[in-house]
Amino acid sequence: MIEQLLNKKDLSREDIIYVLNSTEEESGYLFKYSARKKEQHVGNNVYLRGLVEFSNICAKNCFYCGIRQANKKVKRYNITDKEILTAARYAYENNYGSLVLQSGELQSESFTTRIENLLKEIKRLSNNQLGITLSCGEQTEEVYKKWFEAGAHRYLLRIEASNPELYQKLHPLDDLHRFEKRLESLYLLKKCGYQTGTGVMIGLPFQSVEHLADDLLFMKNLDIDMCGMGPYIEHADTPLYQYRDQLLPLSERFVLTMKMVALLRIMMPDINIASTTALQAIDESGRTKMIQVGANVLMPNITPGQYKNDYALYENKPGIDKDIEDFKDYLEIQMKSAGNQIKYSEWGDSIHYKLKRKQPK
Ligand code: 5AD
Ligand code: SF4
């Protein structure tokens, strides 16, 4: 049954729901199928992006997030430009190929200018060799344009949940947290020329398998170039924690995430899919398993050591206190054992994006 279904040209909503509900035996087939799709379309390759979580200061109050503005228990930090540039140099010299600059969401002129200057400086210090992804939330078109011109060429902005009603249950009802604004930002990013990435959390309270099927169709309809999605993991100092008894067990959130990645690889075979850290919080080899079923991007955290513990979006966030040098060897071994090859010093741009640009509209 699942074999015939996966061979169809386009998966319908019902097909996707069937696959998300599939048995262990059936999902074994799914994972083999998606692994084959990956090999055919993007190769058994893994691209690295050194992740710098440069500030945990955020103006927003998403109900699920540990670093939400109202959480007074968080020690706020904002690493210096010098530290960011040192991390960028590290990524460049260690052949990561690309860098991701991530922070909480702030909208101000000084923030805009700071990022703009950093982008130019990173381009300069790496002789234009380092690719740069930004993940700094919703901004105006003018800001997105400025940053694009300064050297950022990819942008990650998760829709978090593509169903407006579900989105509303996860966010305060105010102007800072409007679903329409988030969607609009994704369109602006595409318009400005970014390789645009989005994603959702999996296993949220109030979320059904139907919502997840619609999330996948949303990404397909939006024609995204990249995706990062991972399991929702509860955090004690957040409003959503009160619903923890309604959540799926972590092991089920894990399997659902794997199925989502496998399905997305089948539905959008030539996009970039990140193997996200949240999966690692559930299973130590989660990241490698995700690579095996379809992901092709890894984002090792290279944020200067003393700050890593303060970027706690969720509990048990991994990669903390791991020595970066040991970690590089560890990754190399893990990826080899998964039949994949790390492509050092390459941007690893989304093939989907490149093909789209070549085709006349
Ligand atoms: N569990 C999992 N992921 C989370 N994020 C925020 N809070 C959580 C959580 N509790 C994710 C969001 C955000 C990204 C930076 O981290 O999807 O976009
Ligand atoms: Fe801020 Fe992002 Fe956390 Fe929302 S998810 S509170 S925007 S850091």
Side-chain angles (χ1 to χ4, degrees), residues 53 62-67 102-103 135 156-161 182 199-202 204 228-235 238 240 253 277-279 311-315 317:
E53 293 165 331
C62 308
F63 292 153
Y64 42 83
C65 178
I67 64 167
Q102 185 164 54
S103 68
S135 178
L156 295 170
L157 184 75
R158 287 188 179 181
I159 192 72
E160 314 292 2
R182 202 151 185 91
V200 295
M201 282 175 285
I202 297 154
L204 287 159
M229 54 188 170
Y232 163 70
I233 298 172
E234 59 273 31
H235 189 295
T238 59
L240 276 198
R253 277 179 255 168
T277 24
L279 202 68
Y311 207 87
L313 302 161
Y314 46 85
E315 289 173 347
K317 192 164 168 263

